[in-house]
Amino acid sequence: MVKITTMIQQDSELRTLQGAVVILFFWHYASAECLRMLPYLTRWHALYSSLGLKIVGIHSPLFRFEHDARIANREIAALSLPFQTILDDESHHYRREYSVLSQPYIVLLNAFGAHAGTYEGEGDYARIESRIHGLLQETSRAPMHLPSIPLYRTGDPKARHAVCYHATPTIFLRHSPIIDADGIYHDIRHHVLNQWHLQGQWDLAPDYIQHARDTHTYTDYLALRYNAFHVNIVADRVGRKPHTVRITLDNKPLTLQNRGNDVELRNGHSYVTIDRPRLYNLVANTIFHVGELRIYVDTKDVRFYALSFSGCAGTQV
């Protein structure tokens, strides 16, 4: 992977896009919404790359740790994507060039390099693939025999009959609940849907919250009443030492039936080990669930950036 500023200077990189239908996929690796789109892009690459489609991922960081090229390259490489991803520079050159305000975001270019469509957020997969068909046909002198377009209804391109519900929106943990004069957060008894609460001692930064004391007992927590199939959290730790947090759902440990991919069950409890800056999948219900999530922390230097949710069955995060 190379930075965009480097790519612009390398004619060999640019020549690979000449005469091709191009998807520019703006994304960042710690976004559940972006990760849920990767199976579709992988499918389109497999079906259409030999027919003239080129996909270029543009990683445009949102969270502060995503600006570290070493971290971003490592996490992107772990995804084993079949198409190239390049790193946007610190000034978000390409985001500004294409007026990208949020991610995920797709820009379609025709074989002459002109704008041929923009698509913001998840969904519209059938429309995007139909547009790909049209652009590929324009580049061919003879009719192309293109694959049929499936009926997309969920985050899994193989799932045809799943349904989606209105889930809790992404919550960025950057606005403070009420804090007492002693500097300690005290949780309230009744929680409102989609509002987060803190118990214990926490520090709040402009783009994250950080637990601020060692308790050695799981008494301090972040709580949220939500509705979704899946729940994810963007988290990191200060220093190199991993930290373990305890997860409960409706005041009970998670189970084999509803734990997320990053949850470990042991000694009657459910835990997640925060070992590097990334998205962690906490809850993976097979039914749409309305409940209360709590994340208990017993040591300082754990950071939480955002909570994200999926309202569609069949997704991975």
Side-chain angles (χ1 to χ4, degrees):
M1 287 172 286
V2 295
K3 289 191 175 182
I4 285 176
T5 50
T6 304
M7 181 180 175
I8 292 173
Q9 298 169 2
Q10 295 177 346
D11 291 342
S12 60
E13 294 283 357
L14 294 175
R15 289 195 198 104
T16 64
L17 305 181
Q18 292 179 353
V21 174
V22 177
I23 291 178
L24 299 179
F25 176 55
F26 291 85
W27 69 298
H28 60 108
Y29 82 82
S31 162
E33 294 86 352
C34 294
L35 293 175
R36 286 196 290 263
M37 289 192 69
L38 294 180
Y40 297 97
L41 291 153
T42 298
R43 177 182 186 274
W44 295 334
H45 173 84
L47 291 176
Y48 304 115
S49 60
S50 63
L51 301 176
L53 176 69
K54 299 288 186 180
I55 300 176
V56 178
I58 300 176
H59 185 270
S60 191
L62 174 63
F63 302 109
R64 63 174 61 192
F65 55 80
E66 292 179 313
H67 288 267
D68 187 321
R70 178 184 57 84
I71 294 175
N73 279 329
R74 180 192 67 204
E75 297 298 325
I76 294 168
L79 295 170
S80 300
L81 300 176
F83 51 86
Q84 183 186 25
T85 289
I86 56 180
L87 304 183
D88 208 347
D89 56 27
E90 290 298 318
S91 65
H92 296 290
H93 171 82
Y94 264 39
R95 281 194 66 173
R96 291 185 291 106
E97 181 74 18
Y98 289 96
S99 302
V100 177
L101 299 178
S102 64
Q103 299 178 101
Y105 193 89
I106 281 179
V107 176
L108 272 173
L109 306 176
N110 66 18
F112 301 100
H115 276 260
T118 56
Y119 304 87
E120 183 176 0
E122 299 178 83
D124 273 344
Y125 301 118
R127 285 182 57 211
I128 296 171
E129 190 163 351
S130 177
R131 187 67 177 125
I132 292 170
H133 278 202
L135 293 173
L136 290 174
Q137 292 284 11
E138 290 176 5
T139 66
S140 177
R141 295 183 178 181
M144 283 186 174
H145 298 288
L146 298 172
S148 60
I149 299 174
L151 178 61
Y152 292 121
R153 292 187 181 180
T154 179
D156 181 356
K158 297 180 182 179
R160 306 294 178 84
H161 305 293
V163 294
C164 295
Y165 300 90
H166 184 69
T168 295
T170 297
I171 295 175
F172 293 96
L173 302 170
R174 57 178 62 152
H175 300 295
S176 171
I178 297 175
I179 187 170
D180 284 2
D182 59 2
I184 303 296
Y185 292 91
H186 296 280
D187 192 10
I188 61 176
R189 179 173 298 180
H190 300 291
H191 292 173
V192 178
L193 187 68
N194 301 342
Q195 291 187 6
W196 57 282
H197 304 271
L198 294 176
Q199 172 67 37
Q201 188 171 345
W202 298 78
D203 293 330
L204 275 75
D207 58 344
Y208 63 83
I209 61 173
Q210 180 173 322
H211 192 235
R213 65 181 178 182
D214 292 321
T215 62
H216 305 295
T217 58
Y218 288 104
T219 54
D220 293 359
Y221 59 81
L222 163 67
L224 173 75
R225 184 168 173 78
Y226 76 95
N227 54 352
F229 285 99
H230 285 250
V231 183
N232 312 285
I233 193 164
V234 179
D236 191 11
R237 77 280 183 267
V238 178
R240 296 186 177 183
K241 181 181 177 181
H243 295 291
T244 300
V245 299
R246 182 182 290 178
I247 312 296
T248 65
L249 182 60
D250 300 327
N251 295 316
K252 298 177 182 178
L254 294 167
T255 67
L256 289 173
Q257 288 70 42
N258 62 12
R259 68 172 180 171
N261 295 329
D262 294 300
V263 173
E264 178 185 359
L265 306 180
R266 64 175 187 270
N267 301 324
H269 297 286
S270 46
Y271 299 95
V272 171
T273 299
I274 310 299
D275 57 0
R276 66 185 196 272
R278 66 178 179 93
L279 182 86
Y280 293 84
N281 182 221
L282 306 182
V283 179
N285 263 310
T286 57
I287 60 173
F288 193 75
H289 184 75
V290 179
E292 179 167 305
L293 175 76
R294 289 193 181 186
I295 306 172
Y296 290 87
V297 186
D298 70 342
T299 184
K300 63 181 180 180
D301 297 337
V302 175
R303 291 177 178 175
F304 298 139
Y305 289 80
L307 288 155
S308 61
F309 309 85
S310 172
C312 295
T315 61
Q316 295 299 310
V317 291

